[in-house]
Structures are given as structure tokens and as C-alpha cells.
């Protein structure tokens, strides 16, 4: 039986056919009068409502052939990507409750002489104004009005892919107004371009550089202002990169400043020239208290002095100094964890920790405590009675006497003296962590519940020059901090080995990425350390740490998103050389390891074939990163995979090189993103023989933490809570219903569908995505699946595209189970709007 179309129903109502038909019926039945007219009206209203609802629905047909096997599906399809972005590791998965463990963060600046600080986190730094990454931070020069003149600055980028620049002709500048009117000269290091933005009832781009600009780590920006013309020069160029005349509501005068948008940048030079006068600003910070910014000074009935020592640190670049000068109380510092959001403790809970100390003249003990955020209640105390004059590690244990989700850890002096502090650690005792590892038990357990079977440890963090394997080994307290890609004061406390231990305990297939410029000798040692026998030199070092057997590591990626910055032959050639150099040493140590090419995929570029030829036969997989925010993202991914495989076969018909999707990327974590991931899984099932895995990024995200636009965590957490976002549940649903074979499907209608079957033929599953705004009434026909049971299990995730889960409603969007009873070879099913549905058949 065919379906009544929406247009047919609409035409019936448009021509008033229902009304005429019912009137004729009533007349034939000799029904008249007021009562029957009311009855006619009621019937018309009900009919109109019913058919209006029906008209808003759509129809589709699905035909599944269980006997037609198209391809196998990878058993490790259900991956995730984790790296230390948005502090998902250091501050999250890593069971280190103190954030700022090495005191590397500079003291915050309370102000800069002559400047107004709009919302931002500005730091005291050497020779300039450093700032943390954040959304649109601005810093405006007081009382400097510029009409015509030149503004110049030097910007050092700590993040290759974000934006910073100059502000000119600003008006309505005042604290509490983050968006004054004016122009921003925006430098995008990631896109290699300059843009002029204008804020007048909202920011908009008004001009941009016509050609790609090679923006290195440091860039000198010069802006000439004359009337309504703005000219922008980069570095020592004599010709402007942009020359723009603003003919619409032009702004002719105003204040000047600097800004950053999700970039950890430092401004080391700033000058303003107007007329015959040029002023170079010294960028002088003002701060009264020198305490590393992740810590807070605390004192009671005492006078103290705080200093940052950049010469005598135990490890890293600096140490914290506290001096008790006078009084009867205490002087110290406190730490409240990531984002100062508090350390969650429970009554009776045990913690252990350590701190490196060295003393000057010290007349009393050092006290460490767990206490309330205002310091008025003490939950646990430990005393360090004597501190040497050379650096030593001092261990302590603390048992909380009260439950508090927002406590702090403090270190105090209560007598005259001076102490240097470095490398502080506080963790839960081993039996309260994940499998006894330095991993948060609740987060690790939630990742298992998601159904993951593949986990990548890589991403832009490995592109940082200081990201080196050799610095991730040995005593965690003695591992040097490093200038990370996402955070300039990153910790090596959690590294590749800790990641492999986690995967081993959680039963995830691991893949690790390494820096392309890492030393071949160090990488050879790493491979032997991780995968060599205990009788080998470096395998023996691993065995001495207690891990006798080699780690079950099979996949190593050389780099991450290499040459993403531009389609340059010389850069692809450099990557090919580095890949082959590292391949040789890795293959010599362990020929069973499979390597992943991390060069940015540009199918239209002639550089792809030459790079393919350079890595073919050596790389097992090519890493493809895909966009995942759109609800139908799989449509594009399907085509990309088809094109990639076709090119591989065109260049070498016998190639074994395949694809690994190591990052599904976007800026969402809502229901729309969940549908995007579901549709990508459908695309990957269709190419199961070609694709190893698909890893959504990011695996984890602290609640309300987003300092780089990648607002895409699958699992969110606070100090004491963990919950899944809608994409989490898509992965869980798909993983729990994984079957090995992709089978034939034909679809008529606006649905995205794949069907899978078990190898023994007893189970069949249909994955259906309705990304549209209306319910879809569907007829499902089954071929070659005879003698099935009448019961059909259903599992559905549905909601508004904008829906997401919160700490207050952590299961707003979650799967709903159902059970249908329908025998035979066809069933009818209505797929809700914005939904992912699994139909499970058994026989």
C-alpha cells in the first residue's frame, strides 16, 4: 500500500474537498439543524487537526537485504581523541588536584601603568604584556586619542591557530563594556591573514588581506590612520597588506589598544605616533603581591612578603617564595584546583601529596591543610617540622573530617622565616583512583561506559616544540613543565606512559602521536622503552618501574595536522623527510608498529600524490580530520572517504594505505553535534574496509571551560561530578550495538540509514538518523532475514538541536528504550524529528 503524500493532503484542504464531502454525507443522512451543524464543525476541526499533523510529517521507505554483505566494519570503530586542550588532562583526567603544581604561571598584574584592563587575565611577564587565552580580551591605553597617525605593536604568538591584534579609534570605552565601538586589526596566525573588523552594533569583517601572509611566531603590525582610510603593514613590508576606505559610518577618532581572541599572546612593543610626536609605551606592570597566578596569598594576623624566584627553582623556570615577617598568625598560599573552582573532599577521604621545599632562616614548622574556601574551617592538617636549606621532597597525608565540594589546599608559615616552594602534588589515595592509576576514577569509568574501544592521545599539543617524550619519564615531580600549545605552563606529570597504562586498564586500543621534530635517537629509545623486552636496555628501564611486559601499542602517529597552515610543496617535502627518518628508527626497533601519516589532506592539491608516494608502503593509515557540527555531517564525510580511497587506488592500485579519522571536530556538544557524529558513523560503516576508527574530539571538557573555541567535549566534569553530553550517548548506543558486517540498504526518503548483521546471521541492526524538523513515517522491508522473532528492540536519542545536558539536568538528553511486536517482512515505524534510532532484530 502506498503512502498519502503531504501535497495530496494539502490539496484536499485547499480545495475544501473534505468539507464538501462531509456536507454531502450529512445531507444524504438527512442530518440538519444547529446540532448537526455543530457536529459537522467538530468533525471538520478534528479532521483538520489530524491531517495537518499528518501533512507536517514526511514519509520514507527502507529496504534491507540481510543476505547482501557489502563490507566488514572495523572492530575499533568507536574511538575518541584526548589531548590536553581545555585542560581535559591536567586539571581533569590526571589525578592531580592542584592546578599550578610547578608555580610556572607568572603573578597576575593588578594593572599596567596608563592602561585600562577590560575583561581579561593579564600577567606580569618579562619584556611585555602576556595574556592568557580567552574570548575577546581587550586592553586599552588611557587618555590617548588618535585621529590621524600610526599605531604599531609586536605580537608574539604562543598559539599557532588563534587571533590577536590592535584596536584603533575606540569609543565608549569603560569598565564593564567589553565591546566599545571601533576597529580591530586582527592577525590570524592559523589562517595566515589580516582582517579589519568594525564594531558598530556588532562585530563584522570589512576588509582583509588578499593574499596569504606568512605569519610566524612573532609579527610586527603597523596601522596608518588618515581620515577614513586605514592602511595595514606587516613586518618590514613597504606596501600595505590592506588599504581600506570606510565609506559607511566611518569612525574618525578614538582610543587605541591591544586584544587577543583565544590566543595566548604577548605584546612586547607598542607605540603611537601622531603629528611629529611618537610615544613608545614601556608596558610596565603594577602588582603588589608576587604569587603565581594559580595560587592565592592567604594570611591572618601577620605580615608577610611574597616573591617569584626565577633563578633558584627546583625544576622549571621559577619557584614561589614566602616570608613570614611579623605577627602572631600565619602567612601562606592556597590552591583551589583548576579555574579556582574548589577541591571536592568527603568526610573520611584520604589524600597523599608532596611538596619540594628549601628554607632560608626558618624558626618554625610548615603546615599543609585542607580547609574551607575562606580558611575558617580546617578539614585536615599535616606538619612538616624541619626544612633543609637545599631542595628536598616532603611527603604528607591528609584525611578530611568534613565533606565540602569547594575546599582549598594551603601551605602556611606560622613563625618568622623564609621558604622556597616548588612542585606541589595532592592526589586521592590509590584505592580511590581508576584501577590504582593517577586517573580520576569517575572520569575513567565514564569513558568506559561510553563504549570506547579506541583512544588517541594526540592533537595540537604534540606540535609544541617542548613536547618531548624524554621529559615524560621518571619521577613525576622531577619532570620539567613545558610551554604547551594550549597552555604555556603545561605539566609532564601525565605523559605517554600514563596514557598507555590507562588504556591497558580500561581495555582501549591506544594510539599516540609524537612531535615530528623529536630526536630520532629519543624516538628509538621511546619505542624500545614502551614495546621492547625487559632484557633490552630501555625495556629494562620500563621493567624497573614495575611494568615487566611491553605495552600493547600498535599505532604511532607522526605529528598532527602537519602543513595545515598552507599548501606549500616545501613544507610537505619536509614532512615527508621527517616521516621517513622517524619511520626508519621506529621500524628498526619494532617492525610490527603501524604508523599514521598526519599531513593535512587536500585532495585537490598536487602535493598529495608526491607525499603519498613518499609514505606509501610505510604508513599504514592517513589521518583525516573532518567537520562534525552539522547534523548531516556524514554526507560530506562519505564523499571525502570515497574520493580519498579513489585517489589512493589511482596512484597505486595495490596500495594497502587506509584512512583513520583521528578527529571529528567542531564547536558544539549538543543534540545537533550528536546527530553529526551518528551520521559520520554511518558513513564510516559504508567504508568499513577502508577506515580504522573515528574519534570525536574532545573526549573530555571541564564545565564552563572553553579558552580556545573547541567547545566540543563528550564527557563534562566538575570537581565532584561527571556526565555525558548527547554525542556521548550516540557513541554508547552505537558501540553497544556493534555488528561486524555492513549489509545492503536502499532508502527512499530523507533518512540516513545503514544496516549491519552479525557474522552468524542471527542479529540484524538498522541505524537510522532523521536530521530533519519533522517526524518521518517509514515502511521498513526486510529481505533474507526469515524466521525472525516478532519482538523488535528500539533505542532512540531525540531532542531539539540545541539541547544539551547540564549539572542540573545531566540526563535531559539520553537514549530511550522501546519494544515493538511485529511479525513478517515489513514493519511501519515513525522516526522522530532530530533523532538517532536503532532497530534491533533477532532470530
Amino acid at each position: 500500500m502506498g503512502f498519502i503524500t503531504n501535497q495530496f493532503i494539502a490539496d484536499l484542504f485547499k480545495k475544501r474537498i473534505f468539507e464538501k464531502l462531509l456536507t454531502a454525507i450529512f445531507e444524504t443522512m438527512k442530518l440538519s439543524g444547529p446540532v448537526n451543524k455543530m457536529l459537522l464543525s467538530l468533525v471538520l476541526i478534528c479532521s483538520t487537526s489530524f491531517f495537518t499533523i499528518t501533512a507536517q510529517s514526511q514519509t520514507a521507505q527502507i529496504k534491507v537485504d540481510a543476505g547482501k554483505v557489502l563490507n566488514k566494519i572495523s572492530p575499533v570503530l568507536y574511538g575518541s581523541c584526548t589531548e590536553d586542550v581545555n585542560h581535559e588532562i591536567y586539571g581533569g583526567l590526571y589525578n592531580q588536584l592542584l592546578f599550578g603544581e610547578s608555580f610556572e604561571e607568572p603573578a597576575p598584574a593588578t594593572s599596567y601603568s596608563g592602561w585600562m584592563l577590560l575583561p581579561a587575565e593579564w600577567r606580569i611577564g618579562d619584556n611585555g604584556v602576556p595574556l592568557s587565552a580567552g574570548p575577546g580580551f581587550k586592553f586599552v591605553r588611557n587618555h590617548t586619542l588618535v585621529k590621524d597617525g600610526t599605531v604599531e605593536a609586536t605580537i608574539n604568538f604562543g598559539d599557532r591557530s588563534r587571533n590577536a591584534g590592535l584596536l584603533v579609534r575606540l569609543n565608549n570605552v569603560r569598565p564593564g563594556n567589553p565591546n566599545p565601538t571601533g576597529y580591530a586589526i586582527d592577525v590570524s596566525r592559523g589562517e595566515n591573514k589580516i582582517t579589519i573588523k568594525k564594531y558598530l552594533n556588532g562585530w563584522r569583517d570589512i576588509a582583509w588581506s588578499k593574499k596569504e601572509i606568512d605569519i610566524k611566531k612573532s609579527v610586527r603590525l603597523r596601522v596608518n590612520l588618515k581620515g577614513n582610510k586605514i592602511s595595514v603593514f606587516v613586518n618590514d613590508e613597504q606596501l600595505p597588506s590592506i588599504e581600506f576606505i570606510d565609506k559607511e559610518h566611518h569612525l574618525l577618532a578614538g582610543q587605541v589598544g591591544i586584544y587577543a581572541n583565544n590566543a595566548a599572546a604577548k605584546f612586547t612593543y607598542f607605540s603611537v605616533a601622531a603629528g611629529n610626536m611618537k610615544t613608545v609605551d614601556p608596558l610596565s606592570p603594577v602588582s603588589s603581591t608576587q604569587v603565581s597566578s594559580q595560587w592565592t596569598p592567604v594570611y591572618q594576623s601577620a605580615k608577610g612578603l611574597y616573591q617569584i624566584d626565577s633563578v633558584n627553582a627546583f625544576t622549571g623556570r621559577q619557584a614561589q617564595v614566602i616570608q613570614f615577617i611579623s605577627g602572631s598568625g600565619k602567612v601562606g598560599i592556597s590552591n583551589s584546583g583548576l579555574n579556582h573552582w574548589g577541591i571536592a573532599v568527603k568526610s573520611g577521604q584520604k589524600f597523599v601529596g608532596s611538596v619540594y621545599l628549601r628554607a632560608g632562616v626558618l624558626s618554625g614548622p610548615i603546615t599543609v591543610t585542607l580547609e574551607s574556601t575562606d580558611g575558617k574551617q580546617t578539614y585536615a592538617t599535616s606538619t612538616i617540622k624541619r626544612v633543609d636549606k637545599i631542595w628536598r621532597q616532603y611527603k604528607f597525608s591528609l584525611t578530611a573530617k568534613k565533606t565540602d565540594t569547594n575546599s582549598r589546599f594551603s601551605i602556611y608559615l606560622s613563625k618568622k622565616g623564609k621558604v622556597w616552594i616548588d612542585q606541589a602534588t595532592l592526589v586521592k589515595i590509590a584505592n580511590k583512583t581508576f584501577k590504582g592509576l593517577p586517573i580520576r576514577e569517575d572520569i575513567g569509568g565514564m569513558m568506559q561506559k561510553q563504549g570506547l574501544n579506541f583512544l588517541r592521545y594526540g592533537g595540537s599539543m604534540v606540535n609544541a616544540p617542548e613536547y618531548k617524550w624524554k621529559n615524560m619519564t621518571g619521577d613525576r615531580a622531577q619532570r620539567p613543565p613545558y610551554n604547551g600549545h594550549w597552555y604555556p605552563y603545561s605539566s609532564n606529570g601525565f605523559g605517554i606512559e600514563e596514557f598507555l597504562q590507562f588504556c591497558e586498564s580500561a581495555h582501549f586500543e591506544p594510539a599516540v602521536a609524537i612531535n615530528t621534530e623529536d630526536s630520532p635517537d629519543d624516538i628509538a629509545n621511546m619505542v624500545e622503552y614502551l614495546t621492547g623486552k625487559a632484557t633490552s636496555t630501555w625495556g629494562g628501564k620500563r621493567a624497573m618501574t614495575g611494568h615487566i611486559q611491553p605495552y600493547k601499542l600498535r599505532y604511532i602517529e607522526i605529528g598532527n595536522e602537519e602543513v595545515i597552515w598552507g599548501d606549500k610543496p616545501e613544507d610537505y617535502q619536509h614532512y615527508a623527510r621527517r616521516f621517513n627518518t622517524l619511520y626508519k628508527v621506529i621500524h628498526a626497533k619494532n617492525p610490527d608498529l603501524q604508523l599514521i601519516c598526519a599531513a593535512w589532506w587536500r585532495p585537490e592539491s598536487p602535493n598529495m600524490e608526491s607525499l603519498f608516494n613518499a609514505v606509501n608502503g610505510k604508513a599504514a593509515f592517513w589521518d583525516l580530520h573532518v567537520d562534525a557540527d552539522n547534523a548531516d555531517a556524514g554526507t560530506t564525510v562519505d564523499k571525502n572517504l570515497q574520493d580519498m580511497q579513489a585517489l589512493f587506488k589511482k596512484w597505486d592500485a595495490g596500495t594497502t594505505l587506509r584512512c583513520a579519522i583521528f578527529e571529528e571536530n567542531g564547536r558544539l556538544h549538543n543534540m545537533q553535534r550528536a546527530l553529526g557524529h551518528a551520521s559520520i558513523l554511518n558513513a564510516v560503516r559504508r567504508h568499513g574496509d577502508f577506515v580504522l576508527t573515528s574519534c570525536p574530539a574532545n573526549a573530555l571538557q571541564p564545565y564552563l571551560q572553553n579558552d580556545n573555541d573547541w567547545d566540543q567535549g563528550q564527557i563534562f566534569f566538575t570537581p565532584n561530578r561527571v556526565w555525558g553530553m548527547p554525542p556521548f550517548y550516540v557513541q554508547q548506543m552505537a558501540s553497544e550495538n556493534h555488528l561486524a558486517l555492513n549489509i545492503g540498504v536502499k532508502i527512499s526518503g530523507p533518512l540516513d540509514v545503514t544496516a549491519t548483521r552479525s557474522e552468524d546471521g542471527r542479529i540484524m541492526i538498522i541505524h537510522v538518523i532523521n536530521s530533519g524538523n519533522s517526524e518521518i513515517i517509514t515502511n521498513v522491508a526486510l529481505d533474507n532475514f526469515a524466521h525472525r522473532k516478532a519482538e523488535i528492540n528500539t533505542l532512540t536519542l531525540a531532542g531539539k538541536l540545541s539541547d544539551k545536558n547540564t549539572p542540573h539536568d545531566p540526563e535531559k538528553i539520553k537514549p530511550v528504550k522501546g519494544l515493538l511486536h511485529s511479525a513478517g517482512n515489513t514493519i511501519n515505524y515513525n522516526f522522530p524529528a532530530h533523532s538517532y534510532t536503532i532497530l534491533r532484530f533477532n532470530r
Side-chain angles (χ1 to χ4, degrees):
M1 179 178 178
F3 287 93
I4 297 174
T5 66
N6 298 338
Q7 187 59 50
F8 177 73
I9 294 171
D11 288 343
L12 290 181
F13 278 101
K14 184 177 180 180
K15 297 174 182 178
R16 302 183 69 186
I17 290 175
F18 279 119
E19 182 180 349
K20 293 176 182 177
L21 179 60
L22 288 170
T23 301
I25 291 171
F26 273 53
E27 288 176 353
T28 301
M29 297 174 66
K30 302 185 182 303
L31 297 173
S32 61
V35 173
N36 291 320
K37 286 182 179 180
M38 289 179 62
L39 180 61
L40 173 61
S41 298
L42 181 61
V43 171
L44 282 172
I45 291 169
C46 293
S47 301
T48 301
S49 300
F50 170 76
F51 284 112
T52 299
I53 292 170
T54 305
Q56 289 175 349
S57 301
Q58 299 185 62
T59 62
Q61 190 167 38
I62 300 171
K63 293 183 178 180
V64 180
D65 187 350
K68 185 178 181 180
V69 176
L70 302 177
N71 55 264
K72 288 190 173 183
I73 301 169
S74 171
V76 290
L77 171 58
Y78 311 103
S80 192
C81 178
T82 185
E83 63 168 312
D84 204 7
V85 54
N86 275 331
H87 309 299
E88 60 179 308
I89 302 297
Y90 177 36
L93 183 66
Y94 176 34
N95 181 38
Q96 156 64 304
L97 302 178
L98 306 180
F99 192 81
E101 60 184 20
S102 56
F103 299 90
E104 291 297 283
E105 292 84 354
T110 56
S111 66
Y112 275 76
S113 180
W115 290 77
M116 178 187 299
L117 282 67
L118 299 184
E121 184 178 345
W122 304 91
R123 305 286 180 80
I124 294 176
D126 5 43
N127 305 319
V129 180
L131 62 152
S132 296
F137 290 163
K138 300 175 184 69
F139 196 37
V140 180
R141 191 76 175 89
N142 284 332
H143 314 303
T144 303
L145 295 177
V146 177
K147 184 179 180 183
D148 291 348
T150 301
V151 184
E152 191 170 355
T154 299
I155 310 170
N156 295 312
F157 285 93
D159 181 339
R160 68 174 179 169
S161 58
R162 295 294 176 261
N163 304 47
L166 287 171
L167 301 169
V168 297
R169 292 179 171 171
L170 298 177
N171 290 277
N172 300 319
V173 178
R174 62 184 184 276
N177 178 24
N179 291 312
T181 61
Y183 301 99
I185 316 303
D186 180 83
V187 181
S188 172
R189 191 178 180 206
E191 296 180 353
N192 286 314
K193 72 176 184 179
I194 310 288
T195 305
I196 300 178
K197 299 174 180 288
K198 184 178 182 180
Y199 190 87
L200 193 65
N201 300 319
W203 283 107
R204 62 188 179 93
D205 297 351
I206 58 173
W208 44 87
S209 51
K210 302 301 182 185
K211 64 178 183 178
E212 186 175 276
I213 300 172
D214 189 10
I215 299 172
K216 301 185 184 299
K217 191 167 185 178
S218 177
V219 62
R220 197 171 188 89
L221 194 64
R222 186 172 82 256
V223 181
N224 288 350
L225 305 168
K226 188 172 183 180
N228 61 347
K229 184 168 78 171
I230 302 174
S231 303
V232 181
F233 299 81
V234 179
N235 297 328
D236 297 323
E237 291 182 354
Q238 299 302 308
L239 296 176
S241 295
I242 306 176
E243 195 164 63
F244 177 74
I245 297 176
D246 189 2
K247 298 179 180 179
E248 183 182 346
H249 303 295
H250 50 264
L251 308 170
L252 295 178
Q255 292 176 253
V256 296
I258 56 181
Y259 89 104
N261 182 31
N262 291 312
K266 179 190 287 186
F267 293 79
T268 56
Y269 175 88
F270 184 87
S271 69
V272 178
N276 296 322
M277 181 177 295
K278 179 177 181 178
T279 303
V280 177
D281 196 295
L283 301 173
S284 304
V286 178
S287 179
S288 57
T289 305
Q290 293 285 297
V291 174
S292 182
S293 61
Q294 294 299 335
W295 295 76
T296 302
V298 290
Y299 40 84
Q300 179 182 341
S301 303
K303 180 180 178 182
L305 178 65
Y306 299 90
Q307 296 174 302
I308 298 289
D309 188 337
S310 301
V311 177
N312 300 301
F314 170 70
T315 186
R317 289 175 281 267
Q318 61 187 38
Q320 181 66 56
V321 183
I322 304 174
Q323 185 174 0
F324 187 109
I325 296 175
S326 63
S328 58
K330 53 189 179 182
V331 173
I333 53 175
S334 70
N335 189 290
S336 299
L338 177 65
N339 297 328
H340 303 277
W341 62 4
I343 297 171
V345 302
K346 293 181 180 179
S347 178
Q349 190 173 35
K350 296 181 179 180
F351 301 83
V352 293
S354 69
V355 61
Y356 276 80
L357 303 171
R358 76 179 185 91
V361 177
L362 190 61
S363 58
I366 305 291
T367 303
V368 297
T369 68
L370 284 170
E371 57 190 26
S372 60
T373 190
D374 58 8
K376 293 181 179 179
Q377 299 183 65
T378 300
Y379 307 142
T381 300
S382 182
T383 300
I384 301 170
K385 295 182 179 180
R386 182 179 178 277
V387 177
D388 290 343
K389 293 185 178 181
I390 61 173
W391 284 111
R392 291 192 188 279
Q393 185 184 38
Y394 297 87
K395 297 182 179 181
F396 54 84
S397 61
L398 297 166
T399 301
K401 298 177 182 178
K402 188 176 180 180
T403 297
D404 185 352
T405 60
N406 188 32
S407 74
R408 72 185 189 190
F409 170 81
S410 297
I411 304 173
Y412 288 117
L413 294 177
S414 55
K415 299 289 183 181
K416 286 186 180 180
K418 187 175 183 180
V419 67
W420 281 252
I421 308 172
D422 206 346
Q423 293 299 329
T425 302
L426 181 70
V427 299
K428 297 176 184 178
I429 60 172
N431 63 1
K432 295 297 182 182
T433 63
F434 184 84
K435 311 290 187 182
L437 299 172
I439 302 291
R440 260 185 68 168
E441 184 177 36
D442 52 354
I443 294 178
M446 197 67 170
M447 294 174 76
Q448 286 184 307
K449 290 178 182 177
Q450 189 178 1
L452 302 180
N453 54 24
F454 191 99
L455 195 60
R456 177 207 188 207
Y457 190 54
S460 295
M461 70 175 185
V462 309
N463 299 110
E466 293 183 15
Y467 186 86
K468 304 291 184 183
W469 169 77
K470 66 181 181 181
N471 293 331
M472 304 175 197
T473 61
D475 183 353
R476 291 187 189 89
Q478 297 189 43
R479 299 178 192 179
Y482 71 101
N483 185 356
H485 179 91
W486 298 111
Y487 188 63
Y489 318 105
S490 295
S491 168
N492 271 315
F494 184 100
I496 289 174
E497 186 170 16
E498 284 76 22
F499 170 76
L500 293 177
Q501 290 170 353
F502 173 51
C503 289
E504 184 176 71
S505 296
H507 306 294
F508 301 151
E509 182 77 46
V512 300
I514 58 175
N515 189 301
T516 57
E517 306 302 324
D518 212 335
S519 157
D521 288 341
D522 285 345
I523 295 302
N525 294 339
M526 180 195 79
V527 171
E528 185 173 286
Y529 180 91
L530 297 175
T531 69
K533 295 181 179 179
T535 54
S536 66
T537 301
W538 282 89
K541 294 178 184 292
R542 180 200 67 244
M544 289 177 64
T545 69
H547 200 284
I548 307 298
Q549 296 301 318
Y551 291 103
K552 295 178 181 179
L553 175 65
R554 293 198 291 172
Y555 304 104
I556 295 180
E557 184 173 19
I558 310 298
N560 170 75
E561 294 184 346
E562 303 300 323
V563 205
I564 190 176
W565 48 87
D567 188 13
K568 300 179 180 179
E570 62 274 19
D571 289 345
Y572 277 108
Q573 291 162 12
H574 174 76
Y575 177 74
R577 289 192 297 272
R578 292 302 303 170
F579 182 95
N580 285 314
T581 295
L582 296 179
Y583 166 82
K584 288 177 183 178
V585 299
I586 292 171
H587 191 259
K589 288 290 184 181
N590 186 344
D592 293 330
L593 286 171
Q594 299 184 51
L595 302 192
I596 295 94
C597 169
W600 192 251
W601 175 250
R602 292 182 172 92
E604 73 288 349
S605 168
N607 294 315
M608 294 302 96
E609 184 175 2
S610 60
L611 181 58
F612 172 88
N613 292 331
V615 303
N616 189 27
K618 299 168 187 173
F621 301 93
W622 194 311
D623 183 3
L624 176 68
H625 291 188
V626 300
D627 295 328
D629 272 350
N630 291 336
D632 61 350
T635 303
T636 302
V637 173
D638 201 333
K639 184 179 185 307
N640 290 344
L641 291 172
Q642 185 176 352
D643 293 346
M644 182 184 237
Q645 188 171 18
L647 285 173
F648 284 3
K649 293 298 183 182
K650 175 184 175 182
W651 296 330
D652 178 5
T655 186
T656 59
L657 184 59
R658 297 191 291 146
C659 173
I661 300 177
F662 273 0
E663 287 187 29
E664 295 177 23
N665 274 323
R667 290 172 168 79
L668 300 175
H669 52 263
N670 55 15
M671 187 62 202
Q672 178 176 312
R673 177 64 181 271
L675 295 177
H677 177 51
S679 69
I680 290 173
L681 287 178
N682 266 355
V684 172
R685 288 187 191 98
R686 298 184 189 106
H687 300 273
D689 289 334
F690 181 61
V691 183
L692 173 68
T693 188
S694 193
C695 300
N698 299 320
L700 309 169
Q701 186 170 332
Y703 183 55
L704 300 179
Q705 170 75 45
N706 175 33
D707 57 17
N708 48 49
D709 279 351
W710 298 114
D711 195 11
Q712 56 176 347
Q714 298 162 76
I715 296 172
F716 271 57
F717 60 88
T718 66
N720 66 322
R721 300 192 68 180
V722 178
W723 68 99
M725 286 294 174
F728 166 93
Y729 289 109
V730 166
Q731 193 79 311
Q732 184 186 72
M733 292 166 63
S735 177
E736 289 176 351
N737 290 278
H738 174 78
L739 296 178
L741 304 177
N742 181 42
I743 58 178
V745 177
K746 292 183 179 179
I747 308 109
S748 174
L751 294 173
D752 181 354
V753 184
T754 59
T756 61
R757 197 201 76 194
S758 61
E759 292 186 280
D760 64 8
R762 296 177 64 85
I763 306 172
M764 181 175 67
I765 285 176
I766 305 177
H767 300 266
V768 183
I769 299 141
N770 176 8
S771 60
N773 296 323
S774 60
E775 177 184 67
I776 298 182
I777 304 167
T778 307
N779 175 257
V780 181
L782 310 177
D783 289 338
N784 296 309
F785 202 70
H787 311 298
R788 71 172 179 84
K789 296 178 181 179
E791 294 82 9
I792 305 165
N793 296 102
T794 68
L795 191 61
T796 302
L797 190 75
K800 296 178 182 178
L801 292 178
S802 59
D803 281 346
K804 52 190 173 184
N805 297 331
T806 67
H808 310 292
D809 195 358
E811 294 185 338
K812 179 178 182 178
I813 298 294
K814 68 175 183 178
V816 177
K817 293 181 179 180
L819 184 65
L820 295 178
H821 292 270
S822 179
N825 295 328
T826 63
I827 65 166
N828 293 323
Y829 193 86
N830 297 352
F831 293 99
H834 306 144
S835 66
Y836 169 45
T837 303
I838 289 175
L839 303 179
R840 186 182 183 99
F841 303 84
N842 295 276
R843 64 181 179 182

